[in-house]
Amino acid sequence: ALGGVYKLVEIDRKHTYKLSNDVAKTTIPCAKNVFRLLSKDGVMLLDLLAPANNAPPEVGERVLCRHPFDYQKKVYVIPSTVIPLLQLVFDGDDRLRRPLHLPDDAPADDS
């Protein structure tokens, strides 16, 4: 499994990144989209992280997927379902783009 935290990767359309001696803490520059790819049986194949300006993967088309930190690890998959996972909530103009859905047991904001 690939753990991760989405970090600042772009300012005014200029890529930013963090360098680290720990490869897993290095950021991948550029804004991204995330897609869940499913097999014809509805089994999750993988979650695909792709540059935001790339076209989304197409159902029935072969997709080359590479590990983000080990370029020797790669696999081709042919998804039967493509689910976009990234949802814009805030884009910097002090307005929410989508309502936040918090769990029922989330602490109340008493401000």
Side-chain angles (χ1 to χ4, degrees):
L2 176 65
V5 175
Y6 197 92
K7 298 177 183 174
L8 180 66
V9 293
E10 199 172 90
I11 299 174
D12 295 328
R13 299 183 191 253
K14 293 181 183 173
H15 302 313
T16 64
Y17 57 92
K18 174 187 173 188
L19 296 177
S20 174
N21 288 332
D22 183 350
V23 174
K25 292 184 178 181
T26 301
T27 57
I28 303 168
C30 83
K32 297 167 193 65
N33 266 323
V34 184
F35 302 95
R36 179 155 294 156
L37 307 183
L38 306 178
S39 71
K40 63 182 175 183
D41 300 326
V43 175
M44 183 181 126
L45 299 170
L46 53 85
D47 287 340
L48 178 69
L49 189 64
N53 60 353
N54 282 17
E58 296 283 336
V59 168
E61 296 291 322
R62 192 166 88 150
V63 178
L64 172 61
C65 305
R66 296 179 187 261
H67 190 281
F69 304 118
D70 184 347
Y71 290 100
Q72 294 183 358
K73 291 183 180 180
K74 59 185 175 183
V75 65
Y76 284 98
V77 297
I78 300 175
S80 291
T81 304
V82 175
I83 304 169
L85 297 179
L86 188 64
Q87 298 178 9
L88 181 63
V89 174
F90 176 76
D91 69 359
D93 64 0
D94 294 332
R95 289 184 299 147
L96 288 175
R97 297 294 174 187
R98 296 179 48 104
L100 295 176
H101 297 286
L102 300 174
D104 292 334
D105 60 351
D109 181 10
D110 295 328
S111 55

